[in-house]
Amino acid sequence: MTSATQRTAPPRPETAEVPPSPAGPQPTYLDAADEILARITDGLCTPGTRLTLTYLTRCTDYAATDLRLAMEHLAGTDAVEAVKERWYVPDDRPDGYTARRAAQLLGAVIGQGAYPPDTRVPVREELARILLATPADVNQALDLLAGRGVLRFSSRARPRVERLPGGLPAEQWPQRLLAIAREDPTRQRLSAPFSRPDIQATRDAALQRWRYGTCLPARDMTWQETLQHDVLARVARKAYDRADQQFPQQDPRLREAAARAMACRDLPTVGVPLHERLYRFAVLATALADLANALATPARYGSAPRR
């Protein structure tokens, strides 16, 4: 007899091969990293902007813990720059770029007649406000314009305008206001905010976006630029009517704000990055608010230009 140990075991029933279990879901912080990287790649964050947890929490649906891990992950891949536990959008613009941009805009403002020859430009703090530039950029911009013969320095801190760098003659700036007001006379006006508080609210929103380095998507930016163009056309008509009632030099606030708005309007919007369009939008929004404030004050008659 065959012993029990020698018996052949019965064959096992055939079973289908069990597939390997799928990998678990991607960690939440990696999803957050993908969303942040997409915003940077799409140009919605301006170069050099600091990415704070407060901002990231506001623009995403992720918790601060996941966002911190996401930023550490992106810093490890060089997708963001980490400096002393702070994260920044990479900035590959050449050195001196922002100073040259400020110089270009200030030169255009002077060229539109904001500051006639032999008058002084505003103090550096005011220039930093209207150019959205740092004090260091303002100083470099003034040096660049002095090197081109547009400004001249004296023993005082505020340089004087030496000559206008192209553009319109200083005494003809109101005529361009009229030309802007008459553009596309058959085009139906949009429902653009036109009251002074609305213009100021638009400026505040634009400056907040600039401060946090958050751009609008291209389609939304185009729409806002269209509304801004419409507001400028309306304000330009009122500014021209005011200037037409007096000598241009007798209302320097109006002249400066109008010239700044016209110069900002000329900045390009096609073929430029979103962050440059945001810069244009913010400086023009500031100029429009200043122009609306100048129009809200009584006209000044018989006053000499400020020197």
Side-chain angles (χ1 to χ4, degrees):
M1 293 181 63
T2 305
S3 64
T5 56
Q6 293 177 335
R7 291 174 185 168
T8 304
R12 294 181 179 180
E14 294 184 3
T15 57
E17 184 179 352
V18 179
S21 59
Q26 178 173 264
T28 305
Y29 79 89
L30 291 180
D31 293 331
D34 290 341
E35 183 171 336
I36 297 169
L37 182 60
R39 294 184 66 85
I40 296 174
T41 304
D42 293 342
L44 296 179
C45 300
T46 61
T49 297
R50 181 186 171 190
L51 297 170
T52 65
L53 291 179
T54 301
Y55 158 68
L56 295 173
T57 304
R58 187 171 59 250
C59 69
T60 68
D61 295 328
Y62 296 97
T65 303
D66 290 325
L67 291 170
R68 180 180 294 278
L69 292 174
M71 295 307 296
E72 292 174 353
H73 171 75
L74 292 174
T77 62
D78 294 331
V80 299
E81 296 179 356
V83 180
K84 295 182 179 179
E85 297 185 354
R86 295 182 177 183
W87 305 290
Y88 297 87
V89 178
D91 189 353
D92 57 356
R93 295 173 298 184
D95 293 339
Y97 175 87
T98 53
R100 289 191 295 272
R101 179 176 62 187
Q104 179 183 11
L105 179 58
L106 180 57
V109 172
I110 295 173
Q112 292 292 343
Y115 319 109
D118 204 36
T119 59
R120 296 187 183 277
V121 298
V123 297
R124 286 165 170 77
E125 292 78 7
E126 176 66 7
L127 289 175
R129 182 187 74 87
I130 65 180
L131 299 174
L132 296 185
T134 65
D137 286 341
V138 170
N139 288 333
Q140 292 183 48
L142 294 176
D143 290 339
L144 288 171
L145 291 176
R148 300 170 191 169
V150 177
L151 300 176
R152 72 173 184 272
F153 285 92
S154 60
S155 57
R156 299 182 181 181
R158 293 166 55 193
R160 291 181 180 272
V161 175
E162 180 73 11
R163 61 178 179 83
L164 299 184
L168 301 174
E171 68 276 5
Q172 292 187 11
W173 62 269
Q175 279 64 43
R176 190 174 181 221
L177 280 176
L178 182 60
I180 292 175
R182 288 177 173 175
E183 284 182 355
D184 302 326
T186 59
R187 182 171 67 89
Q188 184 176 0
R189 293 297 183 191
L190 301 170
S191 299
F194 182 56
S195 68
R196 185 182 173 199
D198 286 338
I199 294 175
Q200 292 173 335
T202 300
R203 173 204 58 196
D204 294 342
L207 291 179
Q208 184 177 25
R209 281 196 168 275
W210 178 256
R211 188 176 302 113
Y212 286 105
T214 56
C215 303
L216 289 168
R219 179 180 298 180
D220 295 338
M221 180 64 75
T222 299
W223 173 248
Q224 292 299 322
E225 288 166 347
T226 303
L227 294 178
Q228 198 177 51
H229 177 93
D230 194 58
V231 172
L232 177 56
R234 297 186 188 186
V235 177
R237 177 78 236 191
K238 297 186 67 174
Y240 172 78
D241 292 340
R242 168 74 69 85
D244 192 44
Q245 299 171 6
Q246 55 192 309
F247 296 110
Q249 290 84 356
Q250 292 178 338
D251 202 340
R253 285 186 60 205
L254 176 69
R255 180 187 64 235
E256 190 275 340
R260 183 153 40 95
M262 291 185 289
C264 294
R265 178 181 180 271
D266 293 339
L267 295 177
T269 60
V270 178
V272 295
L274 283 176
H275 62 84
E276 286 301 324
R277 294 174 67 178
L278 176 61
Y279 177 75
R280 174 195 182 274
F281 185 83
V283 291
L284 181 49
T286 303
L288 287 174
D290 290 348
L291 183 55
N293 290 337
L295 290 171
T297 58
R300 299 174 58 180
Y301 296 96
S303 58
R306 291 181 294 182
R307 297 283 177 172

